[in-house]
Amino acid sequence: MIRSLLPLALLALSAPAAAEWTPKAELGLVNTSGNSNTSSANGKFAIKGEDELWTHEYFLAALRAEADDEATANRFELGAKTARLLGERQYLGSAARHERDDFSAYEHQSTLAVNYGAWLLKEDDHTFQLEGGPGLRHARLADGGGSETDALLRGYADYQHQVTESTQFYNTLLVEATPENTFAQNDIGIAVSINKTLALKAGFQARHNTEAPEGVKRTDTLTSVNIVWSPRARAR
């Protein structure tokens, strides 16, 4: 565990105290009762800092769901990114991610990669960002199936469109490819500002591993409606 989190700690220590930081938090809750009792909660806290030369992003996310007092989802994820700007539209950086999932093909996965990135679009109401680069991945298979350490090729794409002053559409894609497994996650949704600090976000997430043990599904999906808080109320 400590070895898996070390890259995240190193990225956190690289953040300058002089950076301007913006936090963001979101939470979604669902509870039903009657013929069946179900409950679910998902949340995320993120903070982004930037100055003239550097950008830094950190996040912590969790998902928990139960049906008739039995857990049906239990996931914890944290990540960090840092980048050195090369002009207005290009940058070099690194990214680390660690997750634990009790209902996945992998008990945990940790990745560390270096990236070259660029904004193909960078306007007030439209942004399209691409990044990619090599790295390493360490993972442990579920049910004591052993561990894997492989070279990694990471790709990331982020598209955001401010449709109106209060409505934003977003779509992000993360791909982490290794010889043993390719992990992909796509998040798509829309967020509507309620006031200067709150927004309502409806999203759909799909996560896929190309390899999975027998009896474990390769694809997981999550549909959510969350309240988002940020001191700067652009919805996402």
Side-chain angles (χ1 to χ4, degrees), residues 28 39-44 60-66 71-77 100-103 205 207 220-224 226:
S39 62
S40 67
N42 73 90
K44 183 176 182 179
L60 170 65
L63 168 67
R64 173 76 179 185
E66 295 183 357
T72 56
N74 191 39
R75 185 168 75 232
F76 169 83
E77 183 181 6
R100 300 185 68 88
D101 192 338
D102 293 344
F103 294 86
Q205 180 185 89
R207 296 161 56 93
D220 294 304
T221 62
L222 173 67
T223 302
S224 61
N226 291 0

Side-chain angles (χ1 to χ4, degrees), residues 54-161:
W54 294 89
T55 64
H56 303 272
E57 299 178 45
Y58 308 98
F59 75 87
L60 170 65
L63 168 67
R64 173 76 179 185
E66 295 183 357
D68 296 324
D69 297 325
E70 291 190 9
T72 56
N74 191 39
R75 185 168 75 232
F76 169 83
E77 183 181 6
L78 69 163
K81 292 173 62 175
T82 187
R84 173 63 159 81
L85 300 176
L86 306 174
E88 293 185 359
R89 289 183 175 245
Q90 301 179 70
Y91 58 91
L92 290 174
S94 58
R97 190 180 70 87
H98 175 77
E99 73 167 45
R100 300 185 68 88
D101 192 338
D102 293 344
F103 294 86
S104 170
Y106 292 87
E107 178 183 306
H108 68 77
Q109 299 188 71
S110 300
T111 61
L112 175 64
V114 294
N115 301 303
Y116 167 78
W119 285 273
L120 302 187
L121 282 172
K122 197 174 184 182
E123 303 172 358
D124 288 342
D125 59 350
H126 267 98
T127 62
F128 183 37
Q129 177 184 2
L130 290 176
E131 64 185 38
L136 293 172
R137 168 181 171 270
H138 177 75
R140 180 173 294 279
L141 290 163
D143 300 324
S147 61
E148 304 170 350
T149 301
D150 298 292
L152 166 77
L153 185 60
R154 178 184 179 275
Y156 176 81
D158 180 16
Y159 174 75
Q160 299 183 39
H161 180 200

